[in-house]
Structures are given as structure tokens and as C-alpha cells.
């Protein structure tokens, strides 16, 4: 399989409303899409978003790395999907986000060529049962803003079938966050409720939070302390916590998962394609978590389009179980890049929304062009 043409789109898509995290306020989704075309005219699409506080990538750096990879990839033969990541590693050191963008497009091309859905390809690659139709994946809905707004949103989305929730914490005082968590937990009953501090808490506050009565109903607490703290801090937090500990920014691949597993420092992880370096690496991480009785949350960065959502969901469909839910972030965009954006059905995402071959969705080229970031241009090869 040879790449004959390539187009790169640097995008900026406004969010429906700003999303406040502990260390940043996000008002738009800056993301890079790539479209690769093979000799038979098939088009494969990939996506990766910027994440300065998670991967170190800005739009300029991500765009430069994707351009570099595309330029080198056009001269290579891409015949074995199990080697796509290794081939990309031979072209460029590090830069997992850019590689995930290229790998996604290459896998889209390959699975279209083989007339198989991406999730089926993943199952086949792991010798899993191809006959069983995957169950719908529970979608995780983020709560933020004033407490009154959070309660109103929880009520509205609960009526639509959502049962998995993430409460952003860490930007307010510990007392305020504990109060919010208690009130929201009471309102959400026996739903799967989590919190995420994006590493903004001190170890002392994190331990106080996890031992508190207000937090006792939580299914897990995600990345309470900074990823660059020593392992002994994570071990102590896990030891002192009365609730399961999840990690996000600390986990970029199998190496970190193995280290935290050996230390007994966590209960599960959030996997994003931009951290692991692509779909196949994320799938291996997810299977490793399951094999070691660790929990899984699948997530798109806030925010990515239906393209990344489809690729990420394919991992969940291949596995058959995503106990900590799927954070499908295109739901926070003002508009999406395909004719029929992926959407929740009773708080879940069903495989029936994906096409039978490839990643499962095809972006609308005109919509993509309309979303190109101001000051940037489409790049064609």
C-alpha cells in the first residue's frame, strides 16, 4: 500500500461552551486532520489534537511533525499494520500525537482495503471472537460550571440516559470541591461518578479528599496529583485512599502502566490515542490493563471530532468492556466535520453508528475546510 496523495488540515472548532479545567480554560478544539490517498483512490483519515499540558504539543508543533511524517511516509510501502507504529518510530523519535494521526489514517486505508471494520481488525489481531456483536459503550459526561448549572446539566443529561459522570476539580478550594462532589453524588444516586483534578492537587489535599465522607460514593478519582511527582507519592495516595485511583497524564504507554502496576500505585487508567501513539498501541495497553484486573477509561482529548471518537470507540468495541466509560468529546463541539456526527443513544454509543469498513466515518471535505484555523492553510502533497 503506497500513499500517492496527502492533505493536512489544521483546524480550530469552537466549543458549545468553555470548559474549565484545573490548569486551563478551553474555548475551542485545535486539532490536525490528515487525509491519505492510495493508488486505488481510497482515502484514509487521521486526527490528533493539541494538548500542551499532556503531550506538550501546540498546533504549530503538531502540524510540523505531521508534515514531516507525511513527507517521509509517501516513499514507503505500508503493507503490515502490525508494523505501522515501528515504521513511524524509524522516521521520527517521540511525538506520539503526530504518529497517532498518521497511524489512524493508515489503518483507515488498510481496513477499507481489507473490507473490515477497524474494531473487527483489532479483534482479529488479538485472536478475539469475531462473531459476537459488541455491546454499546457507556458514555461519560463531564460536569462543570456553577453548582446550580452542574445540577441542571446532570438532571437534563440523566433524562437522556447518561449514567457515567466526570466532575472537574482542583481549581477551587478543597472544601468547595468536597461540597460539590457530595451534592452531585447525592443527586446522581448510584451512577458511575468520577472526579478529575488534572494533577492540580497537592498530595496532602489529595489524601484528605480520598479519605473524606463526601467522596465515598465515587467510582474513581483521576489524576489528583501531578504526573511529575515521585512514585512514592502515588503509592502513598493509593494506600491512603478509600476510593479507586485512576491515572491519565501519568500514563503514556505500557512502560508507565507496568511501573505503576509493579508499585501498586493505581486501580486503572485513562487511555488517549495522542498519548499512546496510536490505535494499536492503545489497544495493547487496554488489553494489558484488563489482563491485570485494572480498570479502563477511554477518552478523546477535549475536544476532538467524530473521527478520533470513532477510532477510540473501536478499541472499546474490540475489547467488549469499558468499565469506567468512554469520554467522547465531539459532544462538546459547536459543529463536527462529518454529515452525521457520532452521538449518544441513551447515554451510550452503539457500533451501529459506524460504517462496516475502515474507521467507520468519513469526514466531509468541505466542512473540514471551513474549520481550518485562522492564519493557517490546507497543506497538500
Amino acid at each position: 500500500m503506497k500513499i500517492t496523495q496527502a492533505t493536512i488540515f489544521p483546524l480550530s472548532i469552537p466549543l458549545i461552551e468553555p470548559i474549565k479545567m484545573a490548569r486551563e480554560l478551553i474555548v475551542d478544539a485545535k486539532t490536525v486532520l490528515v487525509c491519505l490517498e492510495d493508488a486505488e483512490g481510497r482515502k484514509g483519515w487521521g486526527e490528533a489534537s493539541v494538548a500542551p499540558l499532556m503531550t506538550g504539543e501546540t498546533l504549530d508543533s503538531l502540524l510540523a511533525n505531521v508534515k514531516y511524517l507525511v513527507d517521509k511516509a509517501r516513499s514507503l510501502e505500508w503493507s503490515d499494520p502490525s508494523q505501522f507504529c515501528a515504521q513511524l518510530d524509524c522516521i521520527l523519535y517521540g511525538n506520539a500525537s503526530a504518529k497517532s494521526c498518521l497511524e489512524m489514517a493508515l489503518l483507515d486505508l488498510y481496513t477499507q482495503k481489507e473490507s473490515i471494520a477497524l474494531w473487527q481488525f483489532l479483534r482479529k489481531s488479538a485472536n478475539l471472537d469475531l462473531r459476537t456483536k459488541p455491546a454499546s459503550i457507556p458514555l461519560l459526561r463531564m460536569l462543570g460550571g456553577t453548582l446550580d448549572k452542574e445540577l441542571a446539566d446532570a438532571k437534563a443529561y440523566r433524562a437522556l440516559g447518561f449514567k457515567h459522570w466526570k466532575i472537574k476539580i482542583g481549581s477551587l478550594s478543597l472544601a468547595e470541591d468536597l461540597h460539590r462532589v457530595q451534592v452531585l453524588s447525592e443527586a446522581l444516586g448510584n451512577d458511575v461518578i468520577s472526579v478529575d483534578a488534572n494533577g492540580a492537587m497537592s498530595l496532602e489535599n489529595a489524601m484528605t479528599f480520598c479519605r473524606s465522607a463526601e467522596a465515598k460514593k465515587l467510582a474513581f478519582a483521576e489524576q489528583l496529583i501531578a504526573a511529575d511527582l515521585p512514585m512514592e507519592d502515588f503509592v502513598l495516595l493509593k494506600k491512603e485512599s478509600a476510593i479507586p485511583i485512576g491515572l491519565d497524564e501519568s500514563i503514556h504507554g505500557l512502560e508507565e502502566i507496568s511501573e505503576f502496576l509493579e508499585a501498586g500505585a493505581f486501580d486503572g487508567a485513562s487511555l488517549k490515542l495522542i498519548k499512546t501513539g496510536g490505535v494499536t498501541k492503545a489497544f495493547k495497553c487496554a488489553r494489558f490493563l484488563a489482563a491485570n484486573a485494572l480498570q479502563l477509561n477511554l477518552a478523546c482529548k477535549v475536544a476532538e471530532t467524530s473521527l478520533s471518537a470513532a477510532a477510540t470507540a473501536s478499541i472499546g468495541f474490540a475489547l467488549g468492556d469499558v468499565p469506567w466509560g468512554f469520554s467522547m468529546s465531539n459532544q462538546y463541539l459547536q459543529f463536527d466535520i462529518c454529515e452525521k456526527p457520532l452521538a449518544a443513544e441513551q447515554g451510550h454509543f452503539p457500533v451501529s453508528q459506524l460504517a462496516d469498513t475502515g474507521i467507520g466515518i468519513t469526514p466531509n471535505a468541505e466542512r473540514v475546510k471551513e474549520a481550518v484555523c485562522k492564519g493557517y492553510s490546507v497543506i497538500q502533497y
Side-chain angles (χ1 to χ4, degrees):
M1 189 171 70
K2 296 279 289 189
I3 299 168
T4 58
Q5 296 184 53
T7 310
I8 304 170
F9 304 88
L11 307 185
S12 176
I13 304 176
L15 303 188
I16 295 171
E17 59 186 40
I19 294 178
K20 180 71 171 70
M21 298 186 181
R23 295 186 292 168
E24 62 180 329
L25 178 69
I26 301 177
V27 298
D28 63 353
K30 286 187 169 61
T31 189
V32 173
L33 266 62
V34 64
C35 178
L36 305 179
E37 188 169 337
D38 67 12
E40 285 74 44
R42 284 179 288 265
K43 294 181 178 180
W45 289 82
E47 176 181 10
S49 62
V50 307
L53 298 179
M54 181 176 290
T55 63
E57 292 281 23
T58 64
L59 187 58
D60 286 332
S61 67
L62 180 58
L63 183 60
N65 288 324
V66 170
K67 286 169 59 180
Y68 182 85
L69 286 171
V70 166
D71 186 55
K72 300 295 183 182
R74 290 166 60 227
S75 64
L76 301 178
E77 178 69 30
W78 300 90
S79 57
D80 183 358
S82 70
Q83 296 301 309
F84 286 173
C85 286
Q87 287 180 262
L88 292 169
D89 286 342
C90 288
I91 298 172
L92 181 65
Y93 174 79
N95 296 287
S97 300
K99 291 175 180 176
S100 73
C101 186
L102 265 290
E103 193 223 23
M104 189 187 302
L106 289 165
L107 287 172
D108 193 20
L109 276 177
Y110 180 84
T111 49
Q112 288 180 55
K113 177 175 175 287
E114 297 298 314
S115 299
I116 188 172
L118 177 58
W119 68 267
Q120 292 174 314
F121 162 76
L122 293 173
R123 278 195 182 180
K124 186 177 181 181
S125 71
N127 295 315
L128 301 176
D129 183 13
L130 289 172
R131 297 167 297 177
T132 305
K133 181 181 177 180
S136 296
I137 303 172
L139 293 179
L140 187 152
R141 183 76 195 186
M142 194 162 18
L143 295 173
T146 66
L147 182 55
D148 285 343
K149 181 182 184 303
E150 289 178 311
L151 287 167
D153 286 348
K155 181 178 180 180
Y157 284 101
R158 206 165 186 238
L160 296 175
F162 281 86
K163 297 292 184 183
H164 284 64
W165 310 92
K166 177 180 283 187
I167 305 168
K168 286 291 183 179
I169 62 172
S171 60
L172 303 175
S173 69
L174 178 60
E176 289 174 297
D177 277 337
L178 284 171
H179 175 65
R180 288 173 56 230
V181 167
Q182 182 180 34
V183 172
L184 288 167
S185 295
E186 290 172 354
L188 293 169
N190 294 320
D191 291 357
V192 179
I193 310 166
S194 62
V195 296
D196 182 6
N198 295 109
M201 280 186 166
S202 67
L203 177 59
E204 181 180 357
N205 279 354
M207 289 191 296
T208 300
F209 182 93
C210 291
R211 289 191 296 245
S212 70
E214 293 90 336
K216 65 182 180 181
K217 292 184 66 176
L218 295 177
F220 65 99
E222 182 179 304
Q223 201 68 50
L224 297 184
I225 59 177
D228 59 0
L229 289 178
M231 180 63 77
E232 51 262 35
D233 287 4
F234 289 91
V235 172
L236 180 58
L237 176 59
K238 173 70 174 69
K239 179 181 177 182
E240 294 292 321
S241 179
I243 56 178
I245 296 297
L247 297 176
D248 182 4
E249 286 87 345
S250 292
I251 303 297
H252 287 252
L254 281 174
E255 182 178 351
E256 293 86 358
I257 293 174
S258 298
E259 289 173 354
F260 279 93
L261 174 63
E262 184 177 355
F266 75 142
D267 297 286
S270 175
L271 299 182
K272 294 181 175 74
L273 305 184
I274 59 171
K275 293 190 303 172
T276 62
V279 172
T280 55
K281 286 186 176 181
F283 183 53
K284 289 177 182 177
C285 288
R287 294 186 65 221
F288 186 83
L289 288 171
N292 288 279
L294 295 166
Q295 302 301 308
L296 168 68
N297 163 247
L298 289 174
C300 298
K301 180 71 176 70
V302 176
E304 293 174 333
T305 72
S306 286
L307 180 61
S308 184
T312 306
S314 295
I315 296 171
F317 291 136
L319 289 170
D321 186 31
V322 187
W324 280 355
F326 171 33
S327 302
M328 191 171 78
S329 62
N330 72 310
Q331 61 188 313
Y332 307 115
L333 297 174
Q334 285 190 18
F335 64 90
D336 210 333
I337 47 83
C338 53
E339 295 290 349
K340 190 175 181 181
L342 304 184
E345 296 183 18
Q346 287 296 306
H348 289 69
F349 179 62
V351 73
S352 58
Q353 289 190 32
L354 300 181
D356 293 335
T357 62
I359 285 178
I361 71 120
T362 302
N364 179 305
E366 294 307 311
R367 287 196 179 193
V368 174
K369 291 176 183 176
E370 290 172 5
V372 170
C373 187
K374 185 177 180 180
Y376 293 78
S377 301
V378 175
I379 302 166
Q380 292 185 303
Y381 291 86

